[in-house]
Amino acid sequence: MPDDLNWAIGGEAGDGIDSTGKIFAQALSRAGRHVFTSKDFASRIRGGYTAYKIRSATDRVESVVDRLDILVALTERTIDENLDELHDDSVIIYDGERTEMEDIEIPGDMTGLSVPLQRLAEEAGGAIMQNIVALGAACEVTNFPIENLDSALEKKFGAKGESIVDNNKEAARKGQEFVADEFDHEFDYDLDTTDNDYVLLNGDQAIGMGAIAAGCRFYAGYPITPATDVMEYLTGRIEQFGGEVVQAEDELSAINMALGAARAGARSMTATSGPGIDLMTETFGLVATSETPLVIADVMRSGPSTGMPTKQEQGDLNMTLYGGHGEIPRFVVAPTNVAECFQKTVEAFNLAEKYQTPVFLLADLSMAVTEQTFEPETFDMDAVEIDRGKIVDDDEVEAWTDERDRFQPHFSTADGISPRALPGTENAAHMSTGLEHNALGRRTEDTDVRIEQVDKRNRKVQTAQEEEDWSPREYGNPDSNNLVISWGSNEGAMREALDYLEEDDIDVRFLSVPYIFPRPDLSDDIESADEVIVVECNANGQFADVLEHDALTRVKRVNKYNGVRFKADELAEEIKQKLQSEEVKA
Amino acid sequence: MSSEVRFTDFKSDKQPTWCPGCGDFGTMNGMMKALANTGNDPDNTFVVAGIGCSGKIGTYMHSYALHGVHGRALPVGTGVKLANPDLEVMVAGGDGDGYSIGAGHFIHAVRRNVDMTYVVMDNRIYGLTKGQASPTSREDFETSTTPEGPKQPPVNPLALALSAGGSFIAQSFSTDAQRHTEIVQKAIEHDGFGFVNVFSPCVTFNDVDTYDYFRDSIVDLDETDHDPTDRESAKEKILDADKEYQGVLYQDEESVPYSDLHGLDSNMADIPDGAPEGAMDLVREFY
Ligand SMILES: Cc1ncc(C[n+]2csc(CCOP(=O)(O)OP(=O)(O)O)c2C)c(N)n1
Ligand code: SF4
């Protein structure tokens, strides 16, 4: 049986849950297994329930499911918190020697393995390694070669010295041996290993990596969950490539610094989440009217206001699509998985410079904090192409000057894209402003010039609409009359849901859309289907709204807004019910 | 090119729409002269301005420039300078722009000590929005929004700068062309954040802080025994609420600008055609 493993470790925040989970995830990935992680975490530093979950298989895994096979419970509450996902064959590893765990009740037919985690850890050199003992125990239960754990421990603790590594290896062995000696072997797990060398990373890290690959040299930000990882990733790395990360005093400053760097010619970005994107809104219009290339990442979390900072939501779509006063030409790109966070970041920089516009990179918490395995080639640095757009050098300036030899940074061209002279270019000194301006960049209230400039800026979007490929990705049965559409991180769960639906003889055509604006025209697809369902993690269906508007039709919606991402099996069930339901509510 | 640069090269062909007699004319002229005197030219100069009458300066000068949103000019200047250290960056704005909506940025720009020059055209009033109280307005100054005066003490921008760790703090009077130019020039030459608060009277809405008032009350530090490298002496002068000083109040000659501390010396606009060399190591890190 199961090669598909759902494992979790849960306890109090501060118990080292995260790093323990990461070590196991790494061990699995180093053994050539695919890994998909998720986190339950509360918005506090110590205390409060927290868990790290891993799904792992030799085939690719793209989502979480409602099933937990092995649970390392450091607290009793961990079992209660996961009751819904535990099943009769689940194994719970806990430390029955600890007084607070003595009277623990293992629910239903589940198997409880009482392993003296703390005592064995002390024997190996310190109680702090109790989680590692538990990992050793998990290796035994799953028939997973413990040597793979060794290599992850080396990576994690190598810098701290050999003896720390050895103690941890020893702790793991003790856990493994205890289970082997004390319990009859009736676990039917068999975790295969392969020769594959995967890399394991999360969406925020992939965004940071994409930024460096794309030549981004300047990042200004202000810490906020769940976007902070982007900044932490870039700090210490971007410097190696001649760049700089600045922790600004607030988001207003962050986006304006990034804008300044972009005007100086650097590829520049900022990243934030809901409350921060609100503050940045003021500057969206300035970026657009001064025609400055800028990448603004919004890693969405649950709102409004401070909302649920550590929970999933896709509630900022309208904000990035419509945020800011006046009408602001912009692009909104929404990666659908961790690897795409890398690719779409590279693309965002090219779009920004090619069209001299703000580009919003709309990611979400589930993707940002999810670690996922990939073939290293997925992050193909050789394939990275840099398109800096219409930058003019000293010799080209003259072609863009007016009769008085003044450079025209906002010259109204046929495609709407104007020449761009970086500061330092000779004879091209010019100003740019958030005020409406003429081709020279100077303020105007001339009605004709106003219209010309607004049209020019909008024309850039039209040009992009025609020149770039905004297609969605398609899965499932292309001839099905049931059409499901989603955006962002729902793609993985939905792809797997297709399998569940197929088991129930329900066939579905699934379109995953990574572009919100410009977006693919799905009107024909929507019209030709009998049933159309739009899946998103928000209450009101913001993407469903725009699709209904595009196609002038009503679609059914599957929405989730409890703060947790979609799970494949749950999603399949919801879609099944929607397909059978009569009414379509707007 | 710089040897031939005259200050008028920094003038745009756009006529200022400032009220005749506005202090901003003198402030701008001094800035242009200081830029030319320090060997800059329009192609290597970047002027960032905020919003207000003062903020219009970017329009009337000729250089690379960005006229941004109200209060946010300093962050923009910071980004420009860090991305391209070869540029001479000058940030300008009003007292409302800098000490009210932009007050937070001001404190942090001071302590960040990026090598640029910040000129505040302090007219102790909101000019562009037609005469409301500003953070530097006197406690009893009657305006359209404060008919009985703001009833709160004015901010002391020099004290803010000193307490935030400012490395160059100066004040000048727009109409005293020679001293004003000289002071801005020193700010440009300073290695770090050069801050100059310029008394730049608003002839239309402020009938208290007028040319006559400043002319009568200004004390030039060059005529005192003040030593700008002496922080204690600077503190005393800055906290002296009874006098208006002109000159360099404080300069830390050991100041190390942000870029030097962080080892930033290259133009970030220069990037390769594809992913940078060594980028594959970024992937390998995740094995
Ligand atoms: C966010 C925002 N709030 C308000 C305004 C309106 N506004 C324009 S200029 C200004 C004050 C200008 O005063 P100051 O900075 O002292 O410059 P001055 O006009 O006196 O030179 C205000 C409040 C604005 N443009 N943006
Ligand atoms: S209103 Fe005052 S600050 Fe504005 S231009 Fe006129 S005099 Fe100058």
Side-chain angles (χ1 to χ4, degrees):
Chain A
M1 183 202 75
D3 175 55
D4 182 344
L5 172 76
N6 289 281
W7 174 95
I9 181 166
E12 295 233 327
D15 279 346
I17 302 295
D18 214 56
S19 57
T20 312
K22 221 170 258 174
I23 290 169
F24 197 43
Q26 212 134 42
L28 292 161
S29 144
R30 289 183 156 215
R33 296 180 57 81
H34 276 296
V35 168
F36 188 95
T37 74
S38 61
K39 292 175 197 178
D40 286 352
F41 61 115
S43 186
R44 50 195 285 188
I45 306 306
R46 284 204 73 89
Y49 167 75
T50 172
Y52 188 103
K53 298 188 174 177
I54 298 175
R55 186 163 173 218
S56 175
T58 41
D59 288 340
R60 272 207 73 72
V61 273
E62 304 272 1
S63 85
V64 285
V65 284
D66 259 333
R67 199 183 86 231
L68 197 49
D69 307 315
I70 298 182
L71 174 65
V72 177
L74 297 181
T75 56
E76 202 172 345
R77 178 171 171 197
T78 305
I79 299 177
D80 298 337
E81 290 279 349
N82 293 284
L83 217 47
D84 287 354
E85 295 183 8
L86 290 165
H87 52 89
D88 284 349
D89 294 328
S90 296
V91 176
I92 298 173
I93 297 170
Y94 67 102
D95 187 345
E97 284 187 10
R98 284 176 54 185
T99 35
E100 62 273 27
M101 301 289 273
E102 261 170 12
D103 304 322
I104 208 164
E105 275 187 38
I106 300 298
D109 289 340
M110 295 172 203
T111 308
L113 299 187
S114 174
V115 182
L117 303 176
Q118 219 156 6
R119 177 160 58 82
L120 294 175
E122 274 161 16
E123 285 172 24
I128 193 165
M129 294 182 296
Q130 61 161 336
N131 298 353
I132 307 299
V133 177
L135 291 185
C139 287
E140 179 63 23
V141 173
T142 53
N143 273 319
F144 180 63
I146 199 161
E147 294 69 35
N148 296 300
L149 192 56
D150 291 345
S151 89
L153 290 171
E154 277 158 20
K155 180 168 167 134
K156 171 79 183 171
F157 297 113
K160 292 190 177 170
E162 214 170 302
S163 71
I164 304 267
V165 175
D166 288 344
N167 288 352
N168 276 284
K169 286 183 184 171
E170 170 72 9
R173 290 291 180 295
K174 285 191 180 288
Q176 181 191 32
E177 282 158 18
F178 187 89
V179 173
D181 294 346
E182 299 290 321
F183 302 102
D184 288 343
H185 246 267
E186 281 173 26
F187 318 115
D188 45 5
Y189 282 98
D190 204 0
L191 296 195
D192 285 338
T193 58
T194 75
D195 290 336
N196 295 322
D197 268 331
Y198 296 130
V199 289
L200 180 70
L201 69 166
N202 71 28
D204 273 349
Q205 292 167 328
I207 289 173
M209 195 159 84
I212 294 181
C216 174
R217 293 286 175 273
F218 188 85
Y219 177 96
Y222 189 77
I224 187 168
T225 303
T228 312
D229 268 5
V230 177
M231 190 167 171
E232 289 183 347
Y233 175 83
L234 288 172
T235 304
R237 290 186 181 80
I238 205 169
E239 290 87 347
Q240 298 163 20
F241 298 89
E244 177 77 351
V245 169
V246 180
Q247 181 171 328
E249 55 274 22
D250 55 37
E251 288 83 354
L252 296 154
S253 177
I255 189 172
N256 279 283
M257 279 186 196
L259 163 74
R263 293 238 43 107
R267 283 195 155 194
S268 167
M269 86 178 283
T270 183
T272 187
S273 189
I277 205 79
D278 286 357
L279 291 185
M280 289 183 181
T281 316
E282 182 193 42
T283 301
F284 293 174
L286 174 61
V287 178
T289 51
S290 64
E291 304 200 65
T292 307
L294 193 64
V295 177
I296 303 158
D298 178 11
V299 187
M300 291 176 286
R301 65 188 210 177
S302 182
S305 192
T306 320
M308 300 194 289
T310 60
K311 301 293 172 189
Q312 159 74 352
E313 197 165 284
Q314 296 178 302
D316 300 354
L317 184 144
N318 285 344
M319 178 62 172
T320 48
L321 201 49
Y322 307 117
H325 64 282
E327 296 165 309
I328 301 171
R330 67 187 94 198
F331 296 152
V332 183
V333 176
T336 63
N337 61 42
V338 172
E340 231 189 20
C341 285
F342 171 82
Q343 290 134 6
K344 288 285 178 274
T345 302
V346 174
E347 197 176 325
F349 278 101
N350 284 337
L351 287 172
E353 286 209 305
K354 220 165 141 186
Y355 297 99
Q356 301 169 30
T357 50
V359 178
F360 291 94
L361 197 61
L362 194 53
D364 56 56
L365 177 137
S366 289
M367 193 157 59
V369 304
T370 293
E371 272 119 12
Q372 228 183 318
T373 37
F374 294 94
E375 321 267 343
E377 304 79 59
T378 316
F379 305 94
D380 184 358
M381 295 296 174
D382 293 335
V384 170
E385 283 174 26
I386 308 283
D387 186 346
R388 303 215 63 182
K390 289 192 194 170
I391 295 183
V392 298
D393 61 25
D394 290 353
D395 302 330
E396 294 161 330
V397 168
E398 214 184 314
W400 296 102
T401 56
D402 69 1
E403 68 294 342
R404 292 166 66 189
D405 285 340
R406 297 171 304 192
F407 182 68
Q408 303 171 91
H410 302 288
F411 187 84
S412 180
T413 54
D415 59 7
I417 308 166
S418 305
R420 179 166 161 237
L422 307 186
T425 309
E426 271 179 45
N427 302 319
H430 63 270
M431 79 166 287
S432 247
T433 168
L435 290 164
E436 191 54 88
H437 46 253
N438 59 18
L440 291 171
R442 292 185 183 171
R443 177 202 185 136
T444 183
E445 286 172 6
D446 182 297
T447 48
D448 292 337
V449 178
R450 160 73 179 178
I451 288 172
E452 184 184 14
Q453 286 292 321
V454 171
D455 288 349
K456 176 202 114 65
R457 294 192 293 263
N458 284 336
R459 207 151 60 233
K460 294 193 290 187
V461 178
Q462 283 162 26
T463 304
Q465 230 149 1
E466 287 154 19
E467 282 195 3
E468 313 287 331
D469 182 7
W470 307 99
S471 322
R473 265 194 305 275
E474 176 157 1
Y475 303 100
N477 175 3
D479 301 321
S480 172
N481 291 324
N482 299 320
L483 175 63
V484 176
I485 302 169
S486 86
W487 63 283
S489 67
N490 313 312
E491 180 187 284
M494 189 55 215
R495 277 178 66 186
E496 196 172 328
L498 292 177
D499 297 338
Y500 290 101
L501 289 165
E502 205 178 273
E503 284 168 22
D504 286 339
D505 287 330
I506 299 173
D507 75 342
V508 167
R509 177 175 178 229
F510 169 45
L511 297 177
S512 177
V513 185
Y515 301 105
I516 308 296
F517 192 82
R519 58 181 164 268
D521 183 355
L522 301 181
S523 308
D524 289 344
D525 305 271
I526 289 172
E527 266 169 36
S528 60
D530 291 339
E531 294 281 359
V532 183
I533 299 173
V534 178
V535 173
E536 50 194 319
C537 275
N538 56 40
N540 296 317
Q542 298 178 23
F543 194 53
D545 282 345
V546 297
L547 292 181
E548 278 182 347
H549 176 265
D550 289 353
L552 292 175
T553 186
R554 288 285 173 85
V555 303
K556 291 181 177 177
R557 301 165 186 222
V558 170
N559 301 83
K560 185 170 184 185
Y561 47 97
N562 62 355
V564 182
R565 75 188 305 158
F566 282 107
K567 295 171 181 165
D569 39 1
E570 157 207 63
L571 186 52
E573 189 54 36
E574 289 234 23
I575 289 192
K576 206 164 111 185
Q577 281 172 21
K578 276 287 152 161
L579 287 175
Q580 286 154 4
S581 75
E582 287 298 317
E583 106 281 23
V584 171
K585 71 173 194 284
Chain B
M1 174 170 179
S2 55
S3 60
E4 305 145 32
V5 171
R6 286 169 312 145
F7 92 91
T8 46
D9 292 335
F10 283 98
K11 244 189 173 119
S12 85
D13 51 15
K14 184 112 176 156
Q15 282 308 310
T17 56
W18 287 320
C19 307
C22 175
D24 292 351
F25 286 100
T27 307
M28 179 172 78
N29 277 333
M31 288 165 67
M32 296 191 295
K33 281 183 193 151
L35 279 167
N37 292 351
T38 47
N40 291 291
D41 64 58
D43 290 339
N44 83 333
T45 304
F46 202 111
V47 175
V48 188
I51 298 290
C53 296
S54 44
K56 294 180 178 176
I57 187 162
T59 318
Y60 309 142
M61 286 177 66
H62 174 62
S63 72
Y64 284 93
L66 184 88
H67 181 210
V69 288
H70 193 35
R72 320 277 169 229
L74 282 171
V76 175
T78 302
V80 172
K81 182 68 188 182
L82 297 184
N84 186 350
D86 301 336
L87 298 174
E88 188 62 48
V89 176
M90 191 166 274
V91 180
D95 39 297
D97 190 79
Y99 310 143
S100 199
I101 190 166
H105 306 314
F106 174 54
I107 303 291
H108 293 281
V110 167
R111 61 184 272 264
R112 207 169 272 125
N113 203 30
V114 171
D115 187 13
M116 55 190 185
T117 306
Y118 183 38
V119 175
V120 178
M121 297 139 114
D122 186 0
N123 54 15
R124 300 183 172 175
I125 187 102
Y126 281 12
L128 193 69
T129 48
K130 299 193 165 61
Q132 298 80 27
S134 101
T136 48
S137 295
R138 293 158 192 248
E139 203 158 350
D140 58 357
F141 182 49
E142 294 166 18
T143 74
S144 62
T145 50
T146 58
E148 295 171 45
K151 294 183 180 170
Q152 44 194 309
V155 305
N156 179 339
L158 308 180
L160 284 180
L162 190 75
S163 61
S167 64
F168 183 98
I169 302 166
Q171 194 153 258
S172 66
F173 179 27
S174 70
T175 225
D176 189 344
Q178 202 186 327
R179 280 292 278 147
H180 166 60
T181 303
E182 195 178 292
I183 291 164
V184 175
Q185 204 169 314
K186 284 185 176 157
I188 294 174
E189 285 161 351
H190 174 70
D191 279 338
F193 189 75
F195 164 52
V196 188
N197 191 64
V198 187
F199 298 130
S200 193
C202 170
V203 292
T204 306
F205 297 111
N206 193 331
D207 54 6
V208 181
D209 301 292
T210 59
Y211 286 102
D212 283 346
Y213 161 75
F214 285 114
R215 217 173 271 128
D216 292 346
S217 42
I218 267 186
V219 175
D220 197 303
L221 289 167
D222 272 6
E223 282 149 30
T224 70
D225 59 359
H226 177 63
D227 169 9
T229 62
D230 178 353
R231 203 162 188 273
E232 280 309 309
S233 169
K235 195 155 98 189
E236 202 179 292
K237 298 275 180 317
I238 285 173
L239 294 179
D240 178 356
D242 299 328
K243 293 213 179 68
E244 313 282 8
Y245 287 102
Q246 166 167 266
V248 179
L249 285 128
Y250 180 66
Q251 179 164 23
D252 174 4
E253 289 179 329
E254 316 282 285
S255 158
V256 182
Y258 183 101
S259 297
D260 289 8
L261 271 178
H262 290 245
L264 296 177
D265 53 11
S266 60
N267 182 351
M268 293 182 193
D270 300 332
I271 61 165
D273 292 337
E277 217 169 296
M280 215 45 219
D281 288 344
L282 296 170
V283 182
R284 283 189 206 106
E285 222 185 291
F286 290 105
Y287 271 124

